[in-house]
Amino acid sequence: MYFDLMSSSSAAKLCLFVTVAFLLKSVECASECTARDGDSKAVLVGRLPQTCDASTAGNLYYSPVSKRLTLCDGLSWVHIGASASVVSNKPGSYHNPISSCSALRGNGQQTQSGTYWMKPPTHTQNIPFQIYCDFNLRPNGCALVWKHSYYQVTPNDNMRTFSTFDKPCIDLSDGWCNMANKQQIEGHEQVTAAYHYGTVVYAYRGDRNRQLGKGTQWQGAILNNPIKITDHCSSDNGVAPEPENGNHAIPGITFDKANPGDYVRNCDTDRYGNSGGDCRWLNCFLPSHISKTTSRTQMTVAIYLC
């Protein structure tokens, strides 16, 4: 039972939502369970998996927490529902994509952080794509173009900040993402932020680095003229995060937060390069109001363009 949500009528989309919602109300699950129809497609209740590809295309997931349906279209997860973008012509919907996150504010509408459809003027393909817009870090909004949850995923070259591999950045859940062509995102600022289970621990902004996402240039993640947005670290408070290039690091993944300008010795995220051990938060130390553990615990670093 595969539905092409991009080409079907609005009535058909709403009918799909109502039908699946009715089906799900009859399914009672304490954790994850599956309700199947006559073919191989499934409606699942529970946690959304990280993988969406041809093998899971057409599968629907329902979250009892957010009360939202999500569809795998073969490439990425698409949120659907009565107020979702695929059944709406509001700015940020599939049929009315935004040119940038700040364009939502320009429309004068109430904005909140979340996933929107975007098609920048410089976009090489005439097809909108989904992206996460954050409106908490900067007033006009920032587009998420990279993230990495350290020691929760196995690092590889696709995950580097300069990788040409495209994995849509649609939310801040644990995992990783990378926008292949970061240059098409509008904006003059670049933000690096670190999260602990979704809570911002520190965030710094700088002038946009035009090397970000180019070639093999890990230096693109360096913030030019960094300024603190917020910093809750107990150690090295006020020191901006920087990418690392030493033997301990994987350039384009590893970051540090100590000794500005020293890109070869320090570590605040990982020692992926020489398997030297976990160093998450060791140049920050989490405060007690965020975590009972000061270091070596969950950490996600994200890069935004604003």
Side-chain angles (χ1 to χ4, degrees), residues 135-154:
F135 292 97
N136 297 315
L137 295 171
R138 303 298 293 143
N140 288 327
C142 299
L144 177 66
V145 297
W146 183 88
K147 74 173 180 182
H148 189 95
S149 297
Y150 296 88
Y151 295 99
Q152 292 181 272
V153 294
T154 301

Side-chain angles (χ1 to χ4, degrees), residues 69-273:
L69 284 166
T70 305
L71 167 76
C72 173
D73 66 2
L75 294 174
S76 60
W77 293 103
V78 181
H79 299 311
I80 64 175
S83 61
S85 59
V86 293
V87 296
S88 171
N89 285 318
K90 293 181 178 180
S93 66
Y94 179 82
H95 295 291
N96 188 12
I98 54 176
S99 59
S100 64
C101 293
S102 61
L104 282 171
R105 285 281 165 91
N107 285 320
Q109 68 178 49
Q110 294 246 338
T111 51
Q112 60 181 5
S113 299
T115 307
Y116 296 90
W117 289 93
M118 179 181 289
K119 188 170 70 172
T122 57
H123 191 33
T124 54
Q125 297 180 352
N126 193 31
I127 302 174
F129 58 88
Q130 284 190 298
I131 198 165
Y132 181 82
C133 291
D134 182 281
F135 292 97
N136 297 315
L137 295 171
R138 303 298 293 143
N140 288 327
C142 299
L144 177 66
V145 297
W146 183 88
K147 74 173 180 182
H148 189 95
S149 297
Y150 296 88
Y151 295 99
Q152 292 181 272
V153 294
T154 301
N156 59 59
D157 288 345
N158 292 337
M159 300 176 181
R160 297 178 191 249
T161 55
F162 50 82
S163 168
T164 58
F165 184 88
D166 193 64
K167 182 176 172 59
C169 292
I170 60 173
D171 58 38
L172 286 173
S173 61
D174 297 347
W176 72 279
C177 73
N178 180 67
M179 185 174 184
N181 188 1
K182 299 176 182 67
Q183 299 303 312
Q184 67 185 309
I185 298 296
E186 295 181 335
H188 302 289
E189 288 187 331
Q190 187 168 316
V191 171
T192 301
Y195 298 83
H196 178 63
Y197 290 120
T199 298
V200 178
V201 178
Y202 62 77
Y204 286 76
R205 64 181 175 90
D207 299 331
R208 182 165 180 169
N209 189 331
R210 292 294 174 178
Q211 291 182 312
L212 181 65
K214 285 188 175 181
T216 58
Q217 297 179 3
W218 58 269
Q219 298 95 328
I222 297 174
L223 295 176
N224 294 323
N225 304 312
I227 297 174
K228 179 171 70 173
I229 297 174
T230 187
D231 194 333
H232 298 284
C233 292
S234 299
S235 174
D236 290 291
N237 193 297
V239 177
E242 295 179 325
E244 286 289 293
N245 190 41
N247 293 331
H248 67 291
I250 295 182
I253 296 180
T254 304
F255 282 79
D256 179 49
K257 195 179 182 297
N259 300 320
D262 185 342
Y263 305 114
V264 297
R265 291 186 302 169
N266 303 297
C267 169
D268 192 51
T269 57
D270 64 271
R271 291 190 181 95
Y272 284 155

Side-chain angles (χ1 to χ4, degrees), residues 24 27-35 43-48 61-65:
L24 290 170
V27 180
E28 295 182 358
C29 298
S31 56
E32 184 177 68
C33 61
T34 305
V43 176
L44 302 172
V45 178
R47 187 173 184 180
L48 187 71
Y61 276 78
Y62 175 74
S63 169
V65 177

Side-chain angles (χ1 to χ4, degrees), residues 8 16 31 70 110 112 238 281 295 303:
S8 58
L16 167 65
S31 56
T70 305
Q110 294 246 338
Q112 60 181 5
W281 306 113
S295 61
I303 296 177

